Amino acid sequence: MAQKVAAKKGKTIKKQAKNVSRSLIGIDTVFYILLLILVFYPPFFRGMYFEKEMFPTIALTSAVFIIWVSFKIVKKEPIVSTILDYAALSLVGAYIISTFFAVNIRASIGEVLRYFDYLFIYFMASRTVRDNKKIFMLLNVLVLSSFVVAIVGLGSSVNLIHYNGSWVGGRINSTFQYPNTTASFLMAFFLVNLALISYTDNKYLKAIYGVTAYTQFYAYVFTLSRGAWLMLPFLGIILMLLMPRGKRIEPFIYFVGVVIASALPIVKFNSAVASGVASTLIKWYLIGVFASLIITYAISFIVSIVNKINVRAGIAIAAVTGVFVLAAGYIVFTTQVPLTLKHDAEEPDSIKSVTRFVSAEPDRIYVLKYEVTAKNPSNKDWAYGIIINSRNENDQSTKIAEFYDKDNFVGEKTIEFTTLKDTKRLAITFVNNFQNTSVTFTKAQIYPKNAPHEIQNIMLKYKYLPEDIASRVQDIDFTSRSSSQRMQFYKDGFKIFKDYPIFGAGGGAWSSLYFKYQSYLYWTTQTHNYFMQVLLDTGIIGAIAIVFLLVSLFRSMYRVYKGYLEDKGRILIAAVIVSVVSLYAHAAMDFDLSLSAVSIALWALIGVINSLDILKFKIKDKKIYLNYLAILVAFVVMFMSGSMSVALSYAVKGDNFLRQQNFVLAEQNYEKAVSYDPWNAKYRMAYGQILTALGDQLKDAVKLQKAMFEEEKAVQLEPFNSQLNAQLGAFYLAHGQIDLGLKYVLKAVEVQPLRPENYQQLADAYNKVGMYYLNNGDKEKAKEFLQKAVDVQKMFDKANSKSLEPKPMTETTKKIIEESKKVLQEIQ
């Protein structure tokens, strides 16, 4: 009897264990789905670059993470166990440490919160994505996300889809609102898509992947991102090398299929956009869809047959395809046709131009020889023009020659000109402007006058490339404006690093400091180099952390890649590795990872690598106490991000009331904004200015005292913000504290010395103070400050002399200085 009871109890326990196991598996699945959602949607909210979208996402991720870690505690599974885990933690730790040395505490806290968000995604991916099916699904979700990004970009080009900033200046920005980041994201997951085509055995699914790959590539091309264009072939080779034997040629063959399918839609894209008719673009897009379906299916059918017959046959096909691609590429990039620029008889005047770049040596006489047919039946001012600009090593442009021809003419002409001492290359622009005029250039060559054998042919018009693509291809050069600007950013960045070498200047270091260190006046809130950004934010400590992370990551990738010999698994691993390399590589020359959507995808992929490393090498760690610490930290992150999100909503309401001139309600909302986000200098300054307006209006000394406190606090929080310093200076001047007022107006110049308008503010302040003393009978004081107003000219000239691109003084500043001089002469 006892044995029967025991047996019955044993069966009950086993059944309960099975039920618990099933329920645990079910909970794992729920968290996995939540992870997929958290990875999928960020690109569609302006890439999560702005705090309005980012803070709610951080709060949401933190909440999911807290529940997930609690579940791990129940299962007694530690979430920190690998070297890569500690490396990821070290980078976040570096950002936390740098906050204590930050020049902008609010920006630094924001960056720490972002990195915690990435860390939470990484840990969840590390312990949730644990088999091929889940890796496959995660990669599909990322590919689908990039597909939607591509669709939004293409649709916005003809106003079929309305997304602010998605189509600007003839380039696809899509939901990231920045073309280079869009290109980076599309490129990374286009490569993943090529791997997935090879991974699946279902030919119909392959065809669908062909459509998504075609869409990604189509949008990627019209981001017109030269850096991404240059990187794609190298990353494609890496993908092929990582693929298992028998599969290495497949990504290349499918890529060729995508190019063939997209060729006609790409050629027709500009005309479709110019027409403004959405149906035209849809027609050509659908033609590409059907072409990609058919071509991908046909390739998959051929590849499967070849693989069954003979591996050598597959290699032979790949070789033939390669030759075909090289030949096609040669034809595309070398076949030219005459360049025609014209205005019809009823077409209004407008600039139509094409610019071509050629290399040139400095201080040398060159000859431009060209064959032309010009028509000017209405006797306009000119039929065509040719403008030649010299570009130096910083890609600064200086006009060195221009020629305008009015006559009807058919034949050959030459233009002789001399390059400058700093010329590195030439930009030759062919122009047509007037109604009922036309010009056709059939040939153009350039050569040194004393060495006609050193001739260069100028590619006037590519036969098979749209002009916007052709112009970007022509301008691929390390001395181009974009490249030279980035190099200057890096040089200026190292100036900042020298002053903040150990712990950095905290998150947001570049945007807070670059005005003070810039070599010429430019405007960019990003360094355009992720690794430089980490260096400036966190100093040597952060540099060590990022090196630790990358070394640990590549160690894990190597171990995982070598450890998984199964063909299917290797394809997925190859896809993950190449996408990680792609995102990091492009981030080395742009600010992609400042858009949190890209960083979230990257850290999820790094988590996948870590997950496979844990499974393969059965890494165990019993430090379960770290789970409790993780929950505590996540609660803090959730609270702070939620609080800052609420503050932002109050600030938006406050701005709305300000526009309505309702200062009372604006004050109430900004008071709440400051209470929820006390480190935000801009909130405090806005709150202070509202209090100032009310205090002046009501003659309320208490409000004015509170206003002064808030504005002073704003400058303390962002001491290198020129605008905030000027605003505080204006407050002091308006309320009789002249010395303090001038101190902060002068500081506004010191922290941004190359902006001409800052000198205008300073000269105006000195002039008004001088006139104030003059009107009050104090001539000595008046002379002192009026002389300072005059001396602003010397300050400006001194700062401007150090600029690589000197700017002229504003006319208003000149006028203030002249008026000050005049009054000084009258006093004396």
Side-chain angles (χ1 to χ4, degrees):
M1 185 69 181
Q3 288 179 346
K4 287 183 179 180
V5 171
K8 192 172 183 179
K9 282 185 178 179
K11 288 180 180 178
T12 303
I13 291 170
K14 286 181 180 178
K15 185 180 277 189
Q16 289 175 344
K18 284 183 179 179
N19 290 336
V20 170
S21 178
R22 286 174 185 169
S23 103
L24 291 177
I25 291 171
I27 294 172
D28 267 334
T29 302
V30 169
F31 283 118
Y32 175 67
I33 292 170
L34 288 173
L35 175 66
L36 295 181
I37 293 170
L38 290 171
V39 169
F40 174 74
Y41 79 83
F44 314 134
F45 293 88
R46 299 191 291 178
M48 293 290 165
Y49 180 77
F50 298 99
E51 293 181 346
K52 180 181 179 181
E53 293 86 9
M54 187 60 212
F55 282 142
T57 291
I58 295 174
L60 175 62
T61 304
S62 300
V64 173
F65 182 75
I66 289 167
I67 300 169
W68 176 76
V69 176
S70 301
F71 173 61
K72 289 296 178 185
I73 290 174
V74 172
K75 293 180 69 177
K76 296 182 179 179
E77 293 181 3
I79 64 167
V80 180
S81 59
T82 68
I83 292 176
L84 189 53
D85 291 338
Y86 290 106
L89 284 168
S90 73
L91 183 58
V92 179
Y95 268 93
I96 293 172
I97 293 169
S98 72
T99 302
F100 295 99
F101 305 90
V103 296
N104 184 337
I105 184 70
R106 174 58 174 73
S108 189
I109 290 172
E111 205 65 20
V112 169
L113 293 176
R114 285 178 185 264
Y115 269 89
F116 269 118
D117 184 69
Y118 310 153
L119 192 66
F120 296 160
I121 292 289
Y122 160 79
F123 276 125
M124 287 191 286
S126 292
R127 272 74 184 176
T128 305
V129 187
R130 312 198 74 171
D131 56 50
N132 282 355
K133 286 184 180 179
K134 288 184 176 179
I135 297 171
F136 178 71
M137 185 56 68
L138 175 63
L139 293 177
N140 273 277
V141 165
L142 289 168
V143 167
L144 180 60
S145 182
S146 69
F147 171 77
V148 177
V149 167
I151 288 292
V152 172
L154 291 168
S156 65
S157 67
V158 289
N159 289 318
L160 180 65
I161 296 174
H162 299 283
Y163 193 107
N164 186 43
S166 182
W167 172 258
V168 179
R171 301 179 70 181
I172 287 178
N173 295 351
S174 194
T175 58
F176 290 101
Q177 299 185 326
Y178 182 62
N180 294 342
T181 299
T182 302
S184 173
F185 193 75
L186 291 173
M187 176 173 64
F189 297 108
F190 170 69
L191 292 164
V192 170
N193 202 344
L194 293 179
L196 292 179
I197 298 176
S198 302
Y199 179 78
T200 184
D201 294 323
N202 188 314
K203 291 182 175 58
Y204 298 108
L205 185 55
K206 285 178 182 287
I208 293 172
Y209 281 133
V211 172
T212 58
Y214 148 71
T215 306
Q216 290 168 316
F217 184 73
Y218 192 10
Y220 157 83
V221 168
F222 286 100
T223 61
L224 303 181
S225 175
R226 292 165 296 190
W229 287 352
L230 288 172
M231 287 175 62
L232 183 59
F234 298 101
L235 292 166
I237 291 170
I238 292 173
L239 175 61
M240 291 168 63
L241 293 174
L242 292 174
M243 294 288 281
R245 289 182 182 179
K247 291 284 186 179
R248 286 176 180 162
I249 62 168
E250 287 191 28
F252 173 68
I253 294 174
Y254 285 117
F255 170 71
V256 173
V258 168
V259 172
I260 293 171
S262 60
L264 194 56
I266 285 174
V267 170
K268 297 294 183 179
F269 180 79
N270 284 335
S271 60
V273 171
S275 72
V277 180
S279 59
T280 305
L281 182 67
I282 293 172
K283 177 185 74 175
W284 290 111
Y285 172 73
L286 290 177
I287 288 173
V289 167
F290 289 124
S292 60
L293 280 169
I294 294 168
I295 292 170
T296 307
Y297 182 83
I299 290 173
S300 66
F301 187 76
I302 294 168
V303 167
S304 64
I305 292 175
V306 170
N307 284 340
K308 289 177 183 177
I309 298 172
N310 195 324
V311 175
R312 290 182 180 178
I315 295 173
I317 290 175
V320 170
T321 305
V323 171
F324 167 76
V325 170
L326 289 174
Y330 178 79
I331 292 170
V332 167
F333 289 104
T334 60
T335 304
Q336 69 169 325
V337 292
L339 170 64
T340 298
L341 302 170
K342 67 177 182 177
H343 284 72
D344 295 331
E346 298 179 357
E347 189 176 359
D349 296 350
S350 64
I351 292 291
K352 293 183 179 181
S353 66
V354 165
T355 299
R356 295 293 181 251
F357 296 90
V358 294
S359 59
E361 295 180 4
D363 201 19
R364 197 170 183 184
I365 300 174
Y366 277 85
V367 175
L368 172 65
K369 181 172 68 175
Y370 59 96
E371 295 176 4
V372 64
T373 300
K375 295 180 181 179
N376 187 7
S378 302
N379 199 31
K380 298 290 185 177
D381 290 348
W382 41 270
Y384 72 92
I386 297 177
I387 303 167
I388 302 172
N389 285 282
S390 167
R391 299 287 185 92
N392 63 16
E393 62 180 357
N394 294 316
D395 211 40
Q396 295 165 327
S397 183
T398 304
K399 187 187 294 181
I400 56 176
E402 58 183 330
F403 173 79
Y404 298 96
D405 197 344
K406 182 176 182 177
D407 301 328
N408 294 297
F409 182 82
V410 178
E412 183 178 277
K413 289 204 170 190
T414 59
I415 300 174
E416 190 174 300
F417 60 93
T418 303
T419 57
L420 305 179
K421 291 183 178 180
D422 62 351
T423 298
K424 291 293 183 182
R425 63 176 183 155
L426 300 171
I428 303 174
T429 303
F430 303 91
V431 187
N432 174 252
N433 182 67
F434 295 107
Q435 183 184 60
N436 198 28
T437 62
S438 69
V439 60
T440 298
F441 299 94
T442 54
K443 188 177 182 180
Q445 297 174 316
I446 189 170
Y447 55 87
K449 185 176 181 180
N450 62 353
H453 59 280
E454 297 179 15
I455 196 164
Q456 294 182 67
N457 288 310
I458 300 173
M459 179 67 77
L460 294 166
K461 182 177 176 61
Y462 292 84
K463 184 176 182 179
Y464 300 109
L465 281 182
E467 178 52 37
D468 51 355
I469 297 176
S471 62
R472 298 290 287 183
V473 170
Q474 273 272 318
D475 199 22
I476 292 177
D477 191 285
F478 288 115
T479 61
S480 69
R481 180 68 173 172
S482 178
S483 299
S484 62
Q485 274 188 328
R486 280 171 169 75
M487 293 307 297
Q488 198 58 56
F489 297 163
Y490 305 157
K491 291 177 182 178
D492 293 343
F494 278 114
K495 295 178 191 175
I496 298 174
F497 171 69
K498 287 178 182 178
D499 285 349
Y500 302 89
I502 308 299
F503 302 105
W510 170 266
S511 59
S512 301
L513 292 169
Y514 81 96
F515 280 126
K516 183 179 178 182
Y517 293 85
Q518 62 187 178
S519 301
Y520 63 93
L521 186 63
Y522 53 77
W523 305 82
T524 175
T525 57
Q526 301 294 331
T527 58
H528 291 265
N529 183 321
Y530 170 71
F531 302 103
M532 172 65 76
Q533 179 179 313
V534 172
L535 183 67
L536 300 184
D537 289 350
T538 59
I540 293 172
I541 300 297
I544 293 170
I546 194 70
V547 170
F548 180 29
L549 174 65
L550 292 177
V551 170
S552 301
L553 173 59
F554 281 98
R555 169 182 173 271
S556 293
M557 288 194 299
Y558 178 79
R559 281 157 48 110
V560 167
Y561 181 74
K562 286 294 184 181
Y564 281 80
L565 298 176
E566 181 193 351
D567 286 358
K568 285 278 186 179
R570 265 211 180 177
I571 294 174
L572 295 178
I573 293 165
V576 173
I577 291 174
V578 78
S579 56
V580 169
V581 171
S582 174
L583 292 173
Y584 267 130
H586 196 272
M589 60 182 188
D590 223 316
F591 60 89
D592 311 322
L593 297 183
S594 293
L595 284 86
S596 292
V598 181
S599 288
I600 287 168
L602 173 63
W603 282 83
L605 293 167
I606 295 173
V608 171
I609 295 294
N610 193 46
S611 176
L612 293 174
D613 203 12
I614 293 170
L615 288 173
K616 186 65 182 176
F617 294 95
K618 297 181 173 57
I619 297 169
K620 293 183 179 179
D621 200 316
K622 298 301 182 183
K623 294 177 182 176
I624 197 74
Y625 65 88
L626 291 176
N627 290 29
Y628 294 98
L629 180 59
I631 289 177
L632 177 61
V633 170
F635 265 115
V636 173
V637 171
M638 182 174 67
F639 172 78
M640 292 184 69
S641 56
S643 179
M644 290 176 175
S645 183
V646 171
L648 180 58
S649 67
Y650 279 119
V652 170
K653 290 178 184 177
D655 288 337
N656 290 334
F657 285 121
L658 273 178
R659 282 190 284 271
Q660 299 167 22
Q661 296 294 301
N662 189 333
F663 291 103
V664 174
L665 289 179
E667 177 196 3
Q668 293 174 7
N669 279 278
Y670 260 105
E671 183 178 18
K672 290 177 180 177
V674 169
S675 68
Y676 279 101
D677 190 355
W679 300 287
N680 195 308
K682 293 176 180 62
Y683 292 174
R684 286 191 178 272
M685 181 56 73
Y687 182 38
Q689 290 186 322
I690 293 167
L691 288 168
T692 300
L694 287 170
D696 288 339
Q697 182 181 338
L698 302 172
K699 307 299 181 184
D700 188 332
V702 175
K703 283 192 183 296
L704 288 174
Q705 187 66 30
K706 176 66 173 171
M708 184 172 69
F709 170 81
E710 294 297 340
E711 293 195 25
E712 286 175 345
K713 187 66 176 178
V715 172
Q716 289 171 18
L717 289 168
E718 286 193 40
F720 294 93
N721 187 311
S722 175
Q723 184 180 3
L724 296 183
N725 277 285
Q727 288 170 329
L728 178 58
F731 173 86
Y732 282 132
L733 289 171
H735 294 87
Q737 299 187 57
I738 292 173
D739 290 340
L740 278 173
L742 292 174
K743 171 186 172 182
Y744 283 100
V745 176
L746 180 60
K747 189 177 177 184
V749 174
E750 291 171 352
V751 298
Q752 192 183 26
L754 298 183
R755 181 173 179 260
E757 288 76 10
N758 291 346
Y759 294 89
Q760 179 178 315
Q761 292 175 344
L762 183 61
D764 186 54
Y766 282 138
N767 174 270
K768 285 179 177 175
V769 170
M771 295 305 296
Y772 166 79
Y773 280 118
L774 182 62
N775 292 332
N776 283 276
D778 192 338
K779 291 186 177 181
E780 290 305 313
K781 280 283 188 182
K783 287 164 64 177
E784 176 188 345
F785 287 103
L786 287 170
Q787 184 60 52
K788 286 184 177 182
V790 172
D791 290 342
V792 167
Q793 176 77 57
K794 295 177 182 178
M795 292 175 60
F796 177 81
D797 291 342
K798 183 178 179 181
N800 215 25
S801 67
K802 298 176 182 179
S803 174
L804 296 177
E805 291 184 6
K807 299 290 182 183
M809 179 178 280
T810 67
E811 291 301 318
T812 303
T813 310
K814 292 177 183 177
K815 185 177 179 182
I816 293 169
I817 291 172
E818 288 303 315
E819 288 176 353
S820 299
K821 285 180 180 179
K822 185 177 179 182
V823 175
L824 273 173
Q825 290 172 354
E826 291 173 355
I827 294 174
Q828 294 170 349

